[in-house]
Amino acid sequence: MEIKILTNFFRRILNNIFNNKKEIKLGFYGPPNAGKTSLVNRICKDFTGEELGTVSKIPHETRKVQFKEKVEIDYKGKKMTFKMIDTPGIATKIDYEEFLKYKMSKKEAKERAKEATQGVIESIKWLDDMDIVVVVLDATENPYNQVNITIIGNLVARKIPVLVVANKIDIKKADVKKIEAAFPEYEVVGISAKFGNNLEEFYESLFKLSKKSKG
Amino acid sequence: MEKRGNKKIGNIKGFSIQFMPYSEIKNLDSTSRIKKILGIVLGNEILILQGRLLPQEETRLIEDTMAMIDYTDGFKGIELAVISGDNQENFFSKITKNIANALIGSDLTSITIIGPATIVKEIKKDPKKIELFLNK
């Protein structure tokens, strides 16, 4: 009897410790080529020393969901542990002929297109598994693209907290205000994942968002 | 080649537009709605639908579109846009308040445009206007 009480006591303590250190499942969503992998790489490199995936100018470079577990982000003395989940860009069309422009053989282009379509399906399937999501948008593109609205609409419907990132602010035609105007209900942080600009504000917002997480 | 203002009007091979009142899909479940929409788009028609799909139906439409690209020769996907009488903010708050099912589906002030990517090159949307660019 005494042993059982002691066992339960220690189990409760361990559970508490475990729960406090629980990983928050952080998803990165957005259209292709918005810079999701660049941002994930930047965070992973800063806090683990290793990048997660390859980046490329060719759309649909990420064609499988990839993740890194136990990424501890240390910001202003506060620490949070995340499971970083980088997802393939969501699109409504994929044309293998587009890839031919990048000096790819027809066979390679068709293979890439096939993997890209499966990647989109995989991304959508993973939506249910996220605790919080960073929607990465290209600040040089029109934010009123229906894919962006569909992604955010789905996150809202699933009650998953959302942070919108306007990436590529290092490019002259980037327009963060336009993204803010398109999604006035959400906090929008302008960053450059490539050069690491304004990441402090990003981490600040990420920590704030994490507190809303159900996970 | 005709000219109107400064814009050239090229030779478009021909396309057809189908207008669908919401009543056509009102009593269908999500699977049947998506099937009906994709059937029209696969028939190379541009669909103008009264109302809008639920967010979950939109992702389902994207998933099924991706699967169709893999299995249908010449099909490259869709272009999709929704114009709404409501602003975006109201749209998201309706979803948040969980009254989406009651209101969004029957939001008859919205119009959804869905076209095959082989015909519709791009649907450019600014909050107040929508432009349809066709492939030559």
Side-chain angles (χ1 to χ4, degrees):
Chain A
M1 185 66 181
E2 281 169 354
I3 292 173
K4 201 175 174 187
I5 291 167
L6 269 177
T7 315
N8 284 341
F9 175 72
F10 283 117
R11 189 180 291 150
R12 268 206 308 274
I13 288 177
L14 285 172
N15 273 348
N16 280 340
I17 294 168
F18 180 75
N19 282 335
N20 286 339
K21 292 247 173 192
K22 198 184 169 189
E23 276 186 313
I24 296 168
K25 285 176 270 173
L26 166 61
F28 291 79
Y29 274 85
N33 265 29
K36 296 177 289 299
T37 308
S38 297
L39 178 57
V40 173
N41 278 348
R42 170 71 59 182
I43 301 166
C44 288
K45 189 90 202 271
D46 283 353
F47 295 98
T48 69
E50 285 174 354
E51 294 189 339
L52 180 61
T54 56
V55 293
S56 161
K57 281 184 178 169
I58 312 172
H60 299 285
E61 179 66 12
T62 307
R63 299 184 294 284
K64 274 187 186 298
V65 170
Q66 43 195 9
F67 51 87
K68 200 172 191 73
E69 289 174 318
K70 296 189 171 48
V71 176
E72 191 179 65
I73 299 182
D74 186 340
Y75 175 71
K76 287 186 178 169
K78 288 177 201 160
K79 285 178 184 172
M80 275 187 158
T81 310
F82 295 92
K83 178 177 180 176
M84 311 281 285
I85 305 158
D86 183 23
T87 67
I90 295 180
T92 57
K93 60 179 179 183
I94 291 169
D95 181 0
Y96 82 90
E97 288 179 3
E98 287 292 314
F99 302 134
L100 296 174
K101 293 176 194 162
Y102 299 94
K103 292 178 184 167
M104 242 178 240
S105 71
K106 198 171 174 179
K107 194 182 165 199
E108 284 170 322
K110 281 192 166 178
E111 187 56 34
R112 191 181 179 94
K114 194 177 169 86
E115 288 171 4
T117 56
Q118 286 157 1
V120 173
I121 296 171
E122 203 190 349
S123 277
I124 293 170
K125 296 251 181 285
W126 272 72
L127 272 170
D128 285 318
D129 295 316
M130 304 298 168
D131 292 326
I132 56 173
V133 165
V134 172
V135 175
V136 183
L137 303 180
D138 181 340
T140 68
E141 298 282 338
N142 183 4
Y144 294 97
N145 181 338
Q146 190 61 33
V147 164
N148 302 340
I149 297 160
T150 301
I151 295 171
I152 296 180
N154 270 272
L155 293 166
V156 174
R158 289 168 168 82
K159 297 187 169 57
I160 298 170
V162 179
L163 171 66
V164 179
V165 158
N167 189 26
K168 307 192 187 181
I169 56 165
D170 54 288
I171 298 172
K172 210 176 171 182
K173 69 169 184 169
D175 191 346
V176 180
K177 285 206 162 63
K178 197 169 180 184
I179 297 184
E180 284 171 346
F183 303 106
E185 282 203 332
Y186 296 92
E187 189 174 354
V188 177
V189 183
I191 64 152
S192 164
K194 192 175 177 183
F195 297 104
N197 300 343
N198 209 26
L199 286 179
E200 290 293 298
E201 194 188 330
F202 167 74
Y203 289 128
E204 177 97 46
S205 304
L206 183 66
F207 271 48
K208 231 191 282 170
L209 188 77
S210 302
K211 285 175 190 158
K212 295 181 193 166
S213 146
K214 291 179 286 180
Chain B
M1 189 84 76
E2 286 176 61
K3 272 189 176 182
R4 185 179 294 169
N6 290 327
K7 289 180 184 168
K8 289 178 181 175
I9 299 171
N11 296 321
I12 295 164
K13 280 178 191 165
F15 62 93
S16 96
I17 296 176
Q18 187 177 139
F19 178 78
M20 189 186 279
Y22 181 71
S23 56
E24 282 283 306
I25 59 160
K26 190 181 174 185
N27 297 320
L28 298 179
D29 60 27
S30 292
T31 308
S32 311
R33 283 181 182 184
I34 306 299
K35 204 173 162 187
K36 191 169 182 117
I37 290 169
L38 275 177
I40 293 164
V41 176
L42 281 164
N44 276 336
E45 292 192 37
I46 298 169
L47 172 67
I48 299 182
L49 172 73
Q50 185 187 24
R52 74 187 299 165
L53 297 170
L54 298 168
Q56 297 90 325
E57 288 173 335
E58 280 181 7
T59 41
R60 177 74 190 279
L61 176 66
I62 296 174
E63 283 180 282
D64 288 1
T65 298
M66 291 298 122
M68 293 303 280
I69 295 174
D70 276 352
Y71 292 105
T72 315
D73 272 348
F75 182 61
K76 293 170 179 177
I78 59 168
E79 274 292 331
L80 167 72
V82 179
I83 332 167
S84 181
D86 234 352
N87 62 30
Q88 206 94 281
E89 208 169 340
N90 283 348
F91 170 61
F92 290 135
S93 30
K94 273 181 193 171
I95 306 174
T96 314
K97 286 171 193 154
N98 214 13
I99 48 175
N101 288 332
L103 289 176
I104 292 171
S106 58
D107 173 16
L108 302 183
T109 61
S110 294
I111 292 170
T112 304
I113 304 169
I114 306 167
T118 41
I119 295 173
V120 183
K121 190 179 176 190
E122 193 186 356
I123 305 176
K124 241 187 209 168
K125 190 179 147 194
D126 255 314
K128 287 172 190 163
K129 73 169 181 180
I130 199 156
E131 289 177 281
L132 208 67
F133 294 87
L134 303 179
N135 279 313
K136 284 178 191 169

